[in-house]
Every structure is written in C-alpha cells, then in structure tokens.
Amino acid sequence: MKHNILTSTKHTLLALGVASALGATTAHAAASERMIVTLKQESMANALPVALSQAEMADFKSQSLELFANDINAQAIKTLPNINAVVMELTPEQLKQLEADGNVATVEVDPKRFVPEAIDASIAPFAESTPYGITMVQAQLVSDAAAANRKVCIMDTGYHRDHEDLVSVGVTGDDGYGSNDTGLWHNDGHGHGTHVAGTIAALGGNGTGVVGVNASGNLKLHIVKVFNDSGRWAYGSDLIEAINQCEAAGANVTSMSLGGSGSSTAERNAFDQSYQRGMLHIAAAGNGGNSALSYPASYDNVVSVAAVDSSENKASFSQYNSQVEIAGPGVGVNSTWNNGGYRSISGTSMATPHVSGVAALVWSNFPQCSNAQIRAALNATAKDKGAAGRDTSYGHGIVQAKAAYDYLAQSCGGGVDPAPVANFTFSTSGLTATFTNGSTAGTYNWTFGDGNSSSQSSLSHTYAQAGSYDVTLKVTNSAGDFDTVVKQVTVEDAVTPPGCSGLSAWSASTFYRVGDRVSYKGYEYKSTWWSRGAQPDIFSNVWNKVGKCN
C-alpha cells in the first residue's frame, strides 16, 4: 500500500510545488561541489488524499527530494527529509538554476567535519586506576545505579566492542553507508571513538584498566560511526543523518568529539529541531588554540566544551570564544584504546565525554527533568574558573556532577534561584544595530563599546561612525549572581565605498563562484569557494584577501 501511495503521487509533485519546474538541463563537465539544498516548508507541506504514518511521510519526502534532484539532472547523494533537504553534487549551471527557483530556501556548501588531532602521551598500565578527570568532575560522588534509563549516542570512529573494560552486551550502533561508507560501527580501526567511550563508561571494579564517569555498566550506549577507520573527515550532512540515527535509537545525549570550520544553516536547523524534541547535544570546542568558532559546537543549541589540565587551568590548545559553555578535563586523559589496551591523549575531544558522561549521570537520577533543565543545572553548578562568571576560556566553568545533582534535587532546579545565562543576537542596518535579548530573567546592563550603555531588555543603538565594537551584556539574578557575554558588532555607513580597480562591492545577496573578485571594507578579495552571504572578513575559507584598495 505504501508503494502505491508514493507511486500515485509522484506525477503530481510538480503541480503541488514539491519539485522544481526548471526543465531538463544537461550537467556540464564544469567543476562541481557537494551542496545541501533545503526546500521551503510550504513547498513540502502538501495535503495528500490519504493519511500517512511518520515513516511513510519520511519516505514520501525522500522520494520528493530525489525527484527534485532529478529535475535538474543531479543525483541525490542523500535525502534529509526531517529538514526538507537533499545533498547533491552541483555544477555552476545547476546552482544558477536553483537561484531562480522559488521553492528553494537555501543552497550551501556541505561543510566538512573532522576528528580533532589528539596529542599522544603514555600508554597506561593494566592495573585499574581512576583517571584524574573522574575525580575532578565529581563522578564518583553520584550513583549511576539508575543509568540504564539514559542512553548516550557517540558520533565518532567506532567502538572496540571486545575491549575487556567496555560493555559488550546491549550496545547498539549504526554504520555509515553509500558515499559515507565508514565500515562496521563495532570496529574501531582508529581508536579515537573507543577512547571517548571509555571516559563515558569504562567499567569499574573489574581490577583492570580505568574507570569511566558511569562505571557500573548500566549506561546505554549507541554508536554512530561517522568517520572511517583512518579518521577521514565526514560532512555536515552526515551529522544531520547521525542525529536522526541517535534519536531513532532512543538516545538522550549526543557526544561529539569532532568539528570543523564553517557553519551550515541546514546543520544548525537539524540541531535546533532535535534540541526542541528533547535531545542534549555536546561537542568539542576545538584544538586550534585560538578564538575561531568550530561547528557543531558553536551552534546555540549545542554545548561547546573547552579543555583544562589536571591543575584546572585552560589547556593551551583549547579554543576560546563566546560560544564556549563549559569545560572538562582534556590533558593527559587515560582511557581505553582499540588495541585492547589503554592510551593517554589530550584534546577537547577528551573533555567532551567527561561532560556528556556527567550529563547522562545526573539526568539518569532525575529523568523527569528536561534537556534544558539538565543543561541549566550543569552550567549553574560548574566550578567557576578564569574571569568571574562565564568567560570565553572556561565558559561557566568545570562541570561538577555532585553539585548538579544537588541542584536538580530542588524540583529540577526550579526550587533555587537559577544561575543567569547571558545571550543575545543582533542585526545591523547602516550605523544602527538592533539587539534581541536571549538571556534568562534578571536585570540587564549593556555596554556598546562606544562609551554608551543601557539597562533595557532589547533595544536598538545607533553608532556615530562605522567600525567594529565589542558589545557586552551582563545579566544579574535576584541572588546577585551574574553572567556576561561579549560579541563583536560591525556597522557600516549606508553608502558603500567604491570598489578596487572597478570591482563591484561585495553583496550578501549575490551568489559568487570560484575566482570572482570583489571589494569589501577597502580591500580586494578573491573567491575560493562558491558562496552567498559569506562575509569576506569572516569566512577566510571562502574568500582570500588579495590586498588593500588604492
């Protein structure tokens, strides 16, 4: 019956506005790029003559998306029905067609995601020991007897199921397939995923190896092998698919010791929607030792994890920025390895499973609490380090399991004055910036970087001259606790300065191809990637700064 439903509706898709009415076009031999094409919601929300189950609707959307790809003579590498998107290799000619299609919401490069480079240290002895990080995050002070009611989904290089210090029964997983054929999930030819799993759930009390945050063996695990045995990069669209696999397996927490530069609207939307459905996503801030944003960690609905050493100081390699939310032990972390032994390595990859393991640990004791309440509890009770309140190096501080447990015991944290969380978004028009407050309740203090300030909740501010300004928002609750966030805001004169040597000024609405040249803020830039809306002074992976204008 399902097949008949899909077949009977296939020939009406163009009339319903699901697929593009562009007509057949031969794909040229020009260089193509892997892109995510997202269709507008109204293009996919069509009334059908029969009711479909959720699975049937997903199949219907997948077929609709494949037909859309076929309509421009492109092949659908994969369909992402949850977000109305399809991944395709597109030529410049096909991209031009999509620009004129009213059904298309966004067309963007499918960003690459990597296993961060880990820093090797010593091989551990086989006698059981408790790594310093387990004590630092207070894991041994909270019982994990109820851990079976939570499941952590680990997106990584796989899981060495035969390791004597890891659970082998009841662990589930998904393999990559198609263009992302990563091999069997229960085989880890790299070691990174097995190391992460050991920090989360290495067995305690067995007289060997190490102890994980959840050491009883009760915590449920689901493994999605997004990287192959050599740790080769994956795409953002692979993570979108992995989110669905995690949810389908019944996971509550994702642990993502991975990342890459370049954000994706489709990827961001997938994490946002999953978070709204109750998942808690946790990812590594990155090992670049700089202030660059790494994704998916830097999306608002993903917890970005920084790394500290055994002395609770920020690791030199740990990335620092306004999206860093919390910190965990990440230097010289001893855990399980894919050769059946153990290895001590460093990275925000090692800090991330400490936080995801603690999230599952405390949540298992309070399953009635929401993902947002668990997240708030971890932030409110983190051990403050660095500048008072939230800062760019440690976020709210080092995750603390027992403190979060005690906090949640008060009606999921509702019985105590919650710690404030400062956040805002902004848009600019000429010299005016409009700020939208996304913070928790409290009193607000804005400083705009030009000597002016305000205590309003949300507002607009007009600067006297063009430039970049550090805008700070401080939020204080009734108990006197406060949190701050700083973001750089750039405003420009309404009149765009002339270009370099006759070049046009960069425009956010123009689609650029490889080799295009523009002027921007007094400099000439050359495009190295197809883009639209990628600001030249921010997206260095898309634009190459050629030189200063005459």
Side-chain angles (χ1 to χ4, degrees), residues 89-398:
E89 288 277 348
L90 297 174
T91 65
E93 290 79 8
Q94 291 168 326
L95 280 168
K96 189 173 181 179
Q97 286 183 289
L98 292 177
E99 276 193 289
D101 191 334
N103 292 310
V104 175
T106 60
V107 181
E108 56 190 343
V109 172
D110 194 358
K112 293 178 181 178
R113 302 294 179 238
F114 301 87
V115 177
E117 182 181 357
I119 303 165
D120 265 314
S122 59
I123 303 297
F126 281 77
E128 183 171 89
S129 62
T130 301
Y132 78 89
I134 303 303
T135 304
M136 184 183 291
V137 302
Q138 302 181 330
Q140 79 284 9
L141 302 180
V142 177
S143 171
D144 71 336
N149 63 42
R150 297 293 92 174
K151 180 179 284 189
V152 175
C153 185
I154 303 173
M155 300 182 195
D156 216 293
T157 62
Y159 182 83
H160 188 59
R161 191 167 54 181
D162 296 331
H163 199 292
E164 64 179 343
D165 217 7
L166 293 174
V167 174
S168 59
V169 178
V171 182
T172 57
D174 282 295
D175 310 319
Y177 62 92
S179 63
N180 189 40
D181 185 5
T182 57
L184 299 174
W185 67 264
H186 48 80
N187 178 70
D188 180 8
H190 185 275
H192 190 269
T194 297
H195 196 277
V196 166
T199 295
I200 294 172
L203 297 170
N206 59 354
T208 189
V210 294
V211 175
V213 173
N214 299 269
S216 67
N218 294 327
L219 180 68
K220 295 178 180 177
L221 297 177
H222 185 78
I223 312 299
V224 178
K225 189 169 182 175
V226 295
F227 301 109
N228 64 15
D229 286 342
S230 64
R232 182 179 182 272
W233 44 262
Y235 286 100
S237 59
D238 297 324
L239 297 194
I240 294 172
E241 198 155 27
I243 294 171
N244 297 332
Q245 292 169 324
C246 293
E247 288 193 34
N252 314 99
V253 178
T254 61
S255 188
M256 298 175 288
S257 293
L258 49 82
S261 62
S263 64
S264 157
T265 300
E267 188 180 40
R268 177 190 290 108
N269 289 342
F271 279 105
D272 288 349
Q273 293 171 21
S274 178
Y275 185 77
Q276 295 305 317
R277 292 191 295 267
M279 290 282 286
L280 182 57
H281 299 291
I282 300 170
N287 296 348
N290 54 41
S291 61
L293 296 175
S294 180
Y295 299 92
S298 294
Y299 297 132
D300 287 343
N301 283 321
V302 178
V303 177
S304 178
V305 182
V308 299
D309 60 22
S310 58
S311 298
E312 301 186 347
N313 295 317
K314 172 189 167 296
S316 60
F317 54 78
S318 186
Q319 282 172 227
Y320 48 92
N321 51 61
S322 61
Q323 288 296 118
V324 168
E325 188 164 332
I326 204 163
V331 177
V333 174
N334 202 13
S335 188
T336 48
W337 200 247
N338 65 340
N339 59 359
Y342 304 84
R343 181 165 292 179
S344 176
I345 57 178
S346 302
T348 54
S349 285
M350 287 59 255
T352 299
H354 281 96
V355 176
S356 53
V358 167
L361 174 63
V362 296
W363 202 354
S364 70
N365 285 280
F366 304 99
Q368 73 277 13
C369 301
S370 69
N371 59 337
Q373 288 171 321
I374 298 300
R375 183 179 186 179
L378 297 181
N379 291 337
T381 60
K383 186 175 183 179
D384 193 19
K385 302 292 292 185
R390 184 175 183 175
D391 59 62
T392 59
S393 293
Y394 301 90
H396 293 280
I398 302 171

Side-chain angles (χ1 to χ4, degrees), residues 40-79:
K40 295 177 180 177
Q41 184 64 34
E42 56 266 27
S43 297
M44 297 293 289
N46 297 286
L48 298 174
V50 292
L52 300 181
S53 68
Q54 187 174 357
E56 287 173 328
M57 180 56 75
D59 286 342
F60 175 79
K61 282 189 173 184
S62 290
Q63 187 173 7
S64 302
L65 292 162
E66 288 178 359
L67 182 58
F68 180 87
N70 292 339
D71 217 38
I72 59 168
N73 286 341
Q75 172 125 17
I77 297 173
K78 66 172 63 182
T79 59

Side-chain angles (χ1 to χ4, degrees), residues 427-515:
S427 60
T428 61
S429 178
L431 295 175
T432 299
T434 300
F435 301 97
T436 301
N437 195 339
S439 309
T440 53
T443 58
Y444 309 109
N445 180 45
W446 298 85
T447 55
F448 301 110
D450 63 350
N452 292 297
S453 61
S454 175
S455 59
Q456 297 181 48
S457 175
S458 297
L459 71 162
S460 294
H461 179 70
T462 300
Y463 289 88
Q465 60 184 19
S468 295
Y469 301 87
D470 288 333
V471 177
T472 302
L473 172 60
K474 179 179 179 181
V475 182
T476 306
N477 66 8
S478 58
D481 300 322
F482 65 88
D483 186 30
T484 59
V485 61
V486 180
K487 296 186 179 183
Q488 188 176 80
V489 176
T490 300
V491 293
E492 300 176 336
D493 292 319
V495 179
T496 304
C500 302
S501 304
L503 294 177
S504 298
W506 175 82
S507 171
S509 62
T510 300
F511 179 81
Y512 294 101
R513 295 173 174 82
V514 175

